[in-house]
Amino acid sequence: MKYAEVILPLPLDNTYTYFIPPEMEESVQPNLRVVVPFGKKRYYTAIVKAVYDEIPATEYALKEIHATIDDTPLLRHPQTAFWEWMASYYLCKVGDVYKAAVPAGLTLESETVVHCRDAGATTSPARREQLILDAFADKSSLTVAALEKITGTVHLLPALNRLVRQGIVTVSETLKKGFTPKTETYVRLSSAFGREEDLSAVFPQLGRAGQQAKLLLAYLEQAEPFPAAATPAKEIGKKQLLASTGAGAATLDSLVRRGWMEYYEKAVSRLPSAPAPQPPHRLTPPQQTAFQRIKNVFETKQVCLLHGIPSCGKTEIYLHLASEMLAQGRQVLYLLPEIALTTQIAGRLRSALGDKLRVYHSGFPDAERVEIWHELAARPSPLVILGVRSALFLPFAKLGLVIVDEEHEASYKQQDPAPRYHARSAAVMLAHLHGAKTLLGSATPSLDSIYNTKTGKYGLVTLSARYGDAPPPQIHLVDTKELKRKKIMKQHDLLSPFLHRQIDEALERDEQVILFRNRRGFAPVMECKSCGRAIRCTRCDVSLTYHRQQNRLVCHYCGHAVPLPQRCPACGHAEMKWTGFGTEKIEEEITALYPGVRTVRLDLDTARTRRDGERILADFEQGRSRILVGTQMVARGMDFERVTLVGILNADSLMNYPDFRAHERAFQLMTQVAGRAGRRGRQGIVVIQTAQPDHPLLQMLHHANYDAMVASQLHERYLFGYPPYLRLITVILRSRDEAALDDGAAFCARLLQERLGDDCVHGPFAPPVNRIQTRCARHIVLKIKRAQPTADVRASLENVLAQMHRHHTCRLLNVYCDVDG
């Protein structure tokens, strides 16, 4: 008998072993998907890690594999090595990586189905029980998920258990439906017509059925069903044939009923077709120089950083490098930080690459992502995959180049759930495992990447000429504090007179404007005029943000929302006031100031779906809207020909944040936003409104002095012991019981100090937002020397977590680690 060690899509400490039924022994192999039972009744899709001829030592009774799903492995060897590296480096479980890596359509698992026997058999049911029974008004079976949706209630299991004990309902487990190929109906001649001569008797029988004869003739012309030897007949879809002839479906059905034609189903791709590719634009001399220098760096180093100012044409360089890789039969992974960016970039790439481009991210239906996965797993075709961080997990076979555009972006860091990985670091490791090269690109590279170029780990190529010799934008700092002191601006004014005048002039020249504010909603705080109390979230330690269009107060951490109260919940006073402003308030004021000018807003509220974001950007790109108000979604890589003015309405909020990376990220974000102005030969204008125009960071930005910012920030981090000179690992503890949390955090800190030393362990302390979704948090920061092996740190942390699990005060805590956060 053979045995299989499998990985389950669960955060488990270990893999599990199952015995392989005799009829499956030949088919089960490493990296194959199998369905296995786990627990009392549940089934999951597991990945086979290894197959053994001898039974391994286990502490549990072995179960058998329920079924195999594939004939060929789902993963490739570099993928499994990548998963193991990610679990080790980011201190999580391989099951966490599996859950994040594989599309839901490829991970079948069982779900609980409730069957109702007699909805009227109980007397005086409790409220939740009655809601459950009411849901079965016209159905006899429902899943638990469907019951929760119909009843609008979660945590139904206690009520279901009571109904089960009464014999009113029963429960069972069934496998969810996974990916199913898309099919379309095609038509062909009946098998009775093996030769062209066999059709000679058909047309006389049609008699006056002229539409049927016309349809049959059209099919013969299009399909050529009797081709020359070794040439297959063309396949004709039902829709295609009917559209080309204008005939109705009833006419074709008549031919099928008479036995002359027949329908058959054919699997077709869900992916959109692409036009014939056009050659990429010729590189300018500065771009050609940078292109050649990148190739020279790749001769000696695995990673190259391209530091190119905004509007220098980095995308064209990426495109030429990708085209070279395709010509060599290799694959390319092109990463972007945000889904919103993929639309515009995909259009540019598709025009040059045609059907060699695939776009992969969670904004697409799961079935489309599964198709791309199957395509890469089935054959090593030369393709360019454009996507966000989830594209790292695809089954590449001949990966030659990984491009990480806007590599400085914080969006590349996954926060929750595990694995909490950084896509930039993961991309470098992925390329290493495939023997590929990595190109990092940015107008404002991260200090981590710059440090790696200074130590010789990465190569560096700079591109300081804007495309078409366009001059850099003029940057103006406007002192709003002084303007308000002199009564030139009122306290609630959003636009300074200077910015107002610049907008007027840009609109008169038929140009476009971007206004940036990195806060969505109408107002971040709603407070009472009498007692001054702000309305706060009941689940989180934050104030609720007012959204005027919804007339609701919303928590941006947990999503909790309440209607706008008529009176103060604390003192009952009738008058409330808003403090601060967000993108919704800006949009409203701009619309009032310029009623004849179409203004649109791009933030998480208006771009909830991929199509919403695409529509807003397309309208702005094509000139149907003139002013774009947005959050950081407008800052990243967008290329708008007619934008000549960018207004940053509150620079101070970007800098005044309790994070050691705050100044670096503020400089990067404002530089990126400024780079949207004047990209096609015209000089742009950037207006930065601030209450502290003499701030050193803003002066560096004013003079476009990136090197000065890097020098000052690296000096500070060296003095205070922060990355890139040290590695940071944050141990995060969460619990609803704050007293138990404090005890557990203090116990954890003591254990860590015993193993790693007092100088390495800092904390515990409460984060700036202490409570999220009713759970309080404590952080313990570990500062690890670069030379210290990750394996040693992982072993120490695992030992500490095991001791905590055995400690009675720590069993109520959720503990996890955030590496390089």
Side-chain angles (χ1 to χ4, degrees):
M1 185 171 286
K2 290 187 176 183
Y3 304 88
E5 180 187 1
V6 304
I7 302 169
L8 287 154
L10 300 168
L12 304 171
D13 290 322
N14 305 303
T15 55
Y16 281 77
T17 301
Y18 290 78
F19 68 79
I20 305 172
E23 65 272 16
M24 298 183 193
E25 285 186 357
E26 297 298 321
S27 58
V28 174
Q29 56 182 303
N31 298 332
L32 196 77
R33 286 187 302 165
V34 293
V35 178
V36 297
F38 190 76
K40 292 183 178 180
K41 297 180 179 179
R42 299 284 291 177
Y43 288 85
Y44 292 94
T45 300
I47 303 290
V48 177
K49 183 179 181 182
V51 176
Y52 304 108
D53 292 323
E54 297 183 0
I55 183 170
T58 61
E59 299 177 354
Y60 50 87
L62 295 188
K63 298 178 181 180
E64 73 173 12
I65 291 174
H66 179 70
T68 59
I69 300 177
D70 307 303
D71 296 326
T72 57
L74 180 75
L75 309 181
R76 300 182 185 275
H77 174 68
Q79 270 181 294
T80 56
F82 182 58
W83 285 16
E84 290 169 359
W85 168 82
M86 182 169 283
S88 175
Y89 185 83
Y90 288 104
L91 303 171
C92 63
K93 313 301 180 188
V94 176
D96 291 322
V97 183
Y98 171 16
K99 189 74 172 177
V102 179
L106 294 175
T107 55
L108 301 177
E109 61 183 63
S110 61
E111 61 183 353
T112 304
V113 178
V114 182
H115 310 274
C116 183
R117 290 179 170 178
D118 185 359
T122 184
T123 58
S124 303
R127 177 179 173 275
R128 288 198 175 195
E129 294 169 17
Q130 187 61 59
L131 286 173
I132 292 170
L133 296 175
D134 291 345
F136 288 101
D138 56 351
K139 293 181 177 66
S140 60
S141 300
L142 288 168
T143 65
V144 171
L147 277 173
E148 290 180 343
K149 185 175 181 180
I150 293 170
T151 62
T153 309
V154 295
H155 309 307
L156 292 176
L157 291 182
L160 281 172
N161 286 333
R162 289 192 292 271
L163 292 172
V164 168
R165 287 195 295 269
Q166 296 176 50
I168 298 167
V169 302
T170 60
V171 296
S172 64
E173 293 291 313
T174 183
L175 284 175
K176 294 180 182 177
K177 290 184 179 180
F179 169 78
T180 54
K182 180 183 178 182
T183 60
E184 288 185 1
T185 302
Y186 276 66
V187 294
R188 62 190 171 200
L189 286 178
S190 171
S191 57
F193 302 111
R195 299 173 304 161
E196 191 168 0
E197 292 79 11
D198 296 336
L199 286 170
S200 57
V202 170
F203 286 97
Q205 295 181 45
L206 288 174
R208 297 181 179 180
Q211 286 295 323
Q212 293 182 29
K214 179 181 176 183
L215 191 61
L216 184 57
L217 283 171
Y219 171 80
L220 295 174
E221 290 175 1
Q222 294 178 36
E224 300 176 12
F226 306 107
T231 303
K234 295 179 183 177
E235 293 188 287
I236 303 296
K238 178 181 177 181
K239 289 182 181 178
Q240 175 188 344
L241 180 61
L242 294 177
S244 65
T245 60
T251 305
L252 184 56
D253 291 342
S254 297
L255 291 172
V256 171
R257 283 195 300 271
R258 299 176 87 163
W260 295 338
M261 300 192 75
E262 61 187 22
Y263 294 135
Y264 66 100
E265 296 297 313
K266 178 186 175 184
V268 296
S269 175
R270 291 178 170 88
L271 305 178
S273 59
Q278 302 296 321
H281 295 298
R282 198 172 170 184
L283 296 177
T284 64
Q287 289 173 336
Q288 184 63 43
T289 301
F291 174 76
Q292 190 57 50
R293 286 178 178 170
I294 291 168
K295 294 172 67 175
N296 294 342
V297 167
F298 282 153
E299 291 178 3
T300 57
K301 297 185 184 297
Q302 294 297 111
V303 184
C304 178
L305 173 64
L306 173 59
H307 178 194
I309 65 170
S311 192
C312 67
K314 294 186 289 295
T315 305
E316 284 300 323
I317 295 175
Y318 301 153
L319 185 53
H320 279 255
L321 288 167
S323 298
E324 281 198 356
M325 283 293 160
L326 293 177
Q328 297 170 22
R330 306 293 295 275
Q331 296 167 333
V332 178
L333 173 59
Y334 188 142
L335 289 181
L336 293 169
E338 291 278 1
I339 291 175
L341 279 177
T342 59
T343 303
Q344 193 177 57
I345 298 296
R348 295 177 63 182
L349 297 182
R350 191 170 284 113
S351 65
L353 302 175
D355 61 1
K356 296 295 184 182
L357 178 71
R358 300 289 183 272
V359 183
Y360 184 92
H361 56 68
S362 60
F364 285 99
D366 195 67
E368 290 188 21
R369 288 185 287 151
V370 171
E371 277 198 20
I372 293 174
W373 187 290
H374 279 317
E375 182 180 18
L376 288 170
R379 56 187 183 277
S381 305
L383 294 170
V384 174
I385 305 296
L386 176 70
V388 293
R389 56 178 183 255
S390 60
L392 286 164
F393 299 107
L394 285 166
F396 296 101
K398 293 184 177 181
L399 189 62
L401 176 65
V402 179
I403 299 167
V404 185
D405 196 13
E406 310 292 356
E407 63 85 31
H408 64 278
E409 281 289 350
S411 301
Y412 279 124
K413 181 69 167 70
Q414 163 76 7
Q415 298 300 331
D416 283 310
R420 298 170 179 85
Y421 64 99
H422 199 298
R424 181 184 62 228
S425 303
V428 172
M429 176 53 66
L430 179 70
H432 170 73
L433 292 172
H434 282 270
K437 305 296 184 182
T438 306
L439 177 62
L440 310 178
S442 175
T444 51
S446 65
L447 295 191
D448 301 273
S449 296
I450 285 291
Y451 177 78
N452 284 330
T453 66
K454 292 180 180 294
T455 59
K457 185 177 180 180
Y458 296 172
L460 174 65
V461 174
T462 59
L463 181 57
S464 55
R466 299 189 94 194
Y467 181 78
D469 295 324
Q474 300 176 15
I475 298 178
H476 301 271
L477 299 177
V478 176
D479 188 347
T480 54
K481 182 180 178 181
E482 184 66 12
L483 290 173
K484 289 177 181 178
R485 187 186 69 81
K486 294 179 176 179
K487 309 297 184 185
I488 298 173
M489 283 182 70
K490 296 178 182 178
Q491 286 301 317
H492 290 297
D493 283 352
L494 306 186
L495 304 181
S496 62
F498 181 77
L499 178 55
H500 200 325
R501 187 166 61 252
Q502 294 299 323
I503 295 174
D504 290 341
E505 293 175 3
L507 295 176
E508 286 175 6
R509 295 191 299 267
D510 198 28
E511 295 167 351
Q512 291 177 304
V513 178
I514 291 177
L515 298 177
F516 170 75
R517 168 69 164 141
N518 205 25
R519 187 181 291 273
R520 62 189 175 97
F522 188 87
V525 179
M526 186 64 69
E527 62 183 30
C528 175
K529 284 188 176 182
S530 177
C531 68
R533 289 279 294 273
I535 302 178
R536 302 179 66 81
C537 180
T538 56
R539 304 177 188 177
C540 310
D541 277 347
V542 294
S543 59
L544 296 177
T545 299
Y546 177 44
H547 289 251
R548 176 167 281 185
Q549 288 186 357
Q550 304 173 27
N551 198 35
R552 295 172 72 83
L553 297 171
V554 180
C555 176
H556 287 177
Y557 280 82
C558 71
H560 175 64
V562 296
L564 183 68
Q566 299 298 314
R567 294 181 175 275
C568 172
C571 71
H573 190 69
E575 292 190 62
M576 308 288 291
K577 66 175 182 178
W578 53 264
T579 302
F581 64 95
T583 51
E584 191 180 2
K585 168 64 177 170
I586 299 168
E587 180 190 28
E588 181 181 280
E589 184 157 320
I590 293 298
T591 302
L593 287 172
Y594 301 99
V597 176
R598 188 181 175 204
T599 300
V600 293
R601 173 164 51 97
L602 181 64
D603 56 25
L604 194 59
D605 296 324
T606 61
R608 287 287 179 185
T609 67
R610 173 174 61 92
R611 294 191 182 278
D612 288 339
E614 290 176 356
R615 175 181 49 77
I616 293 167
L617 291 173
D619 284 352
F620 191 66
E621 186 174 18
Q622 294 167 18
R624 289 193 289 269
S625 53
R626 303 281 302 283
I627 300 176
L628 176 64
V629 177
T631 58
Q632 60 188 3
M633 296 174 75
V634 305
R636 296 164 174 161
M638 303 295 184
D639 186 8
F640 300 116
E641 180 177 358
R642 294 167 60 192
V643 172
T644 58
L645 174 64
V646 167
I648 299 173
L649 301 193
N650 188 346
D652 307 307
S653 63
L654 301 174
M655 300 185 295
N656 301 335
Y657 192 77
D659 187 298
F660 73 93
R661 291 191 177 95
H663 282 187
E664 175 194 1
R665 288 176 175 168
F667 187 95
Q668 291 166 340
L669 186 53
M670 287 189 280
T671 300
Q672 292 289 329
V673 177
R676 302 314 104 204
R679 296 177 65 88
R680 300 292 178 88
R682 312 173 189 178
Q683 186 173 32
I685 295 174
V686 180
V687 180
I688 301 176
Q689 297 185 166
T690 173
Q692 41 187 346
D694 295 327
H695 192 289
L697 188 75
L698 293 178
Q699 288 299 316
M700 295 172 194
L701 184 67
H702 185 209
H703 298 290
N705 197 342
Y706 171 79
D707 293 337
M709 186 277 293
V710 168
S712 67
Q713 290 298 301
L714 285 178
H715 178 65
E716 282 187 16
R717 295 190 192 180
Y718 178 78
L719 289 178
F720 297 104
Y722 280 101
Y725 299 99
L726 297 174
R727 286 179 58 214
L728 284 190
I729 299 176
T730 305
V731 181
I732 301 172
L733 305 94
R734 294 190 180 276
S735 177
R736 291 188 175 91
D737 187 335
E738 196 160 9
L741 178 64
D742 285 328
D743 291 342
F747 179 65
C748 180
R750 286 197 301 272
L751 294 176
L752 289 169
Q753 287 166 353
E754 290 171 5
R755 297 192 66 89
L756 300 173
D758 292 351
D759 58 337
C760 173
V761 181
H762 302 265
F765 55 86
V769 180
N770 175 40
R771 189 169 58 100
I772 298 175
Q773 292 182 330
T774 72
R775 292 180 179 269
C776 298
R778 296 293 181 269
H779 289 184
I780 301 171
V781 175
L782 308 180
K783 294 186 175 182
I784 310 296
K785 293 180 180 178
R786 288 280 177 184
Q788 190 166 352
T790 304
D792 293 347
V793 178
R794 181 186 178 93
S796 297
L797 281 165
E798 286 180 342
N799 183 277
V800 167
L801 295 178
Q803 290 186 60
M804 290 182 65
H805 184 70
R806 294 191 295 268
H807 197 270
H808 67 280
T809 62
C810 300
R811 291 176 184 172
L812 296 174
L813 308 185
N814 178 25
V815 185
Y816 57 90
C817 298
D818 186 11
V819 179
D820 299 338

